Amino acid sequence: MKDTNCIFCKIANGEIPSSTVYEDDDFRVILDLGPAAKGHALILPKEHYKDVCELDETVAAKILPLGAKIGAGMKKSLGCAGFNLVQNNGAAAGQTVLHFHMHVIPRYEGGPEMVTWTPGKDEEMADTAAKIKSAL
Ligand code: AMP
Ligand code: ZN
């Protein structure tokens, strides 16, 4: 299914031009218009899924291998030392475009800190784990 109001559906299916680095039957991989680092790419499924919870399992199984392929290509071609695979679900998690996408962010030696957090402490860890477990 495509969503006619979704910009990533239009980009993924070639209706809007993009800087495409890879395409197959299921995905288009494009450069992010507001890159966190040079080469920052987005893996877009050609079908519309709002987030990871809606993803078709067959499509989902192809995303990590594709992320690895793109990241390895970035290391060879751009000279980055590593890369992050980042994926946001819901506005509270920073998702701004409601069409599933996986960020592939090249990381360069001496580059800026990103995708980081300050470790905290959960005093009710057993209760927290039990709550999540009971909902699965
Ligand atoms: P997220 O915050 O995870 O939803 O990420 C959305 C990403 O899409 C951001 O990094 C934006 O810079 C990027 N973005 C938004 N519109 C476009 C577009 N038309 N072409 C390429 N990247 C886009
Ligand atoms: Zn879409």
Side-chain angles (χ1 to χ4, degrees):
M1 280 268 287
K2 275 81 178 168
D3 179 335
T4 47
N5 294 315
C6 172
I7 185 163
F8 277 6
C9 278
K10 291 186 176 131
I11 292 173
N13 291 284
E15 290 165 41
I16 293 179
S18 61
S19 298
T20 296
V21 302
Y22 175 86
E23 184 181 6
D24 63 24
D25 288 346
D26 298 311
F27 302 99
R28 183 185 294 269
V29 183
I30 66 167
L31 292 186
D32 194 299
L33 271 187
K38 190 177 182 62
H40 180 168
L42 301 172
I43 298 175
L44 309 179
K46 291 188 173 178
E47 297 294 318
H48 183 84
Y49 308 100
K50 184 182 65 173
D51 59 23
V52 73
C53 300
E54 283 196 355
L55 263 190
D56 173 270
E57 284 191 8
T58 312
V59 172
K62 296 176 180 173
I63 293 173
L64 273 187
L66 182 53
K69 179 185 173 82
I70 302 295
M74 286 170 170
K75 286 171 77 174
K76 266 195 209 155
S77 61
L78 301 177
C80 56
F83 59 93
N84 293 112
L85 297 177
V86 181
Q87 201 275 306
N88 301 323
N89 297 284
Q95 186 179 11
T96 58
V97 182
L98 300 182
H99 174 122
F100 174 96
H101 50 282
M102 175 81 82
H103 296 259
V104 188
I105 307 177
R107 301 297 298 274
Y108 299 93
E109 294 291 0
E113 279 280 307
M114 59 178 94
V115 199
T116 182
W117 59 85
T118 307
K121 190 162 173 55
D122 182 356
E123 305 292 352
E124 301 162 338
M125 207 168 250
D127 181 54
T128 304
K131 274 187 182 147
I132 297 171
K133 201 172 167 184
S134 69
L136 301 181

